[in-house]
Amino acid sequence: MESFLRSWTGQDPNPEDYKKIEFWSNPERAGWLTKQGNYIKTWRRRWFILKQGKLLWFKEKHVTRHSIPRGVVPVGQCLTVKGAEDVINKPFAFELSTNQETMYFIADSEKEKEEWINSIGRSIVQHSRSVTDSEVVDYDNTKP
């Protein structure tokens, strides 16, 4: 939990938080989002990668195996991801929350916002400690 809080609060992430993730290849989702800082509440555009239950962000789009994330959030420890236009009065905004913290993001379009919410939501379900592998439901594969 300590490494989670360190990543969440904007301190440099611990390499243990991401060393087993090949974030530079075949991400589940990647793209630009604008993220609100945690201490100084300015908005900064960052390149985000979602892979293996981690949401990582970088200053630049060009990510290699030698890139160091600016932050890492283990989404399995998050409770909700949902639209937040009404909360922060900005279009295409969404929030990612634990029981202690909330991070805000702004996508470039409504479509991208919905895609990020769906991707992160799926990852929360897949990587949540409260859900075992046998309980994961395949919502994309409906049985007749």
Side-chain angles (χ1 to χ4, degrees), residues 1-11 13-14 16-18 21 28 48-57 69 71-81 96-101 103 105 119-130:
M1 188 65 150
E2 177 184 321
S3 64
F4 172 75
L5 291 174
R6 179 174 44 248
S7 299
W8 190 268
T9 58
Q11 297 176 19
N14 183 334
E16 293 296 316
D17 294 341
Y18 59 87
I21 299 174
E28 294 160 33
F48 281 80
I49 292 175
L50 178 65
K51 186 161 182 184
Q52 293 173 241
K54 306 280 186 178
L55 182 63
L56 308 100
W57 60 93
V72 180
V73 173
V75 298
Q77 295 178 17
C78 294
L79 301 175
T80 62
V81 58
L96 180 59
S97 300
T98 67
N99 57 2
Q100 300 162 346
E101 300 283 340
M103 289 179 79
F105 305 91
S119 296
I120 293 170
R122 270 193 304 276
S123 190
I124 289 172
V125 170
Q126 290 170 352
H127 297 280
S128 172
R129 289 191 176 146
S130 64

Side-chain angles (χ1 to χ4, degrees), residues 29-67:
R29 178 146 192 81
W32 290 106
L33 292 170
T34 302
K35 174 191 163 307
Q36 189 177 38
N38 294 324
Y39 297 116
I40 301 171
K41 299 294 184 187
T42 56
W43 292 93
R44 300 205 174 166
R45 194 159 167 83
R46 298 288 184 243
W47 183 255
F48 281 80
I49 292 175
L50 178 65
K51 186 161 182 184
Q52 293 173 241
K54 306 280 186 178
L55 182 63
L56 308 100
W57 60 93
F58 303 83
K59 276 191 172 181
E60 310 212 353
K61 181 179 179 177
H62 182 68
V63 175
T64 69
R65 70 176 65 241
H66 303 294
S67 298

Side-chain angles (χ1 to χ4, degrees), residues 78-92:
C78 294
L79 301 175
T80 62
V81 58
K82 62 186 178 182
E85 288 98 341
D86 295 344
V87 177
I88 61 171
N89 296 315
K90 294 188 182 286
F92 320 130

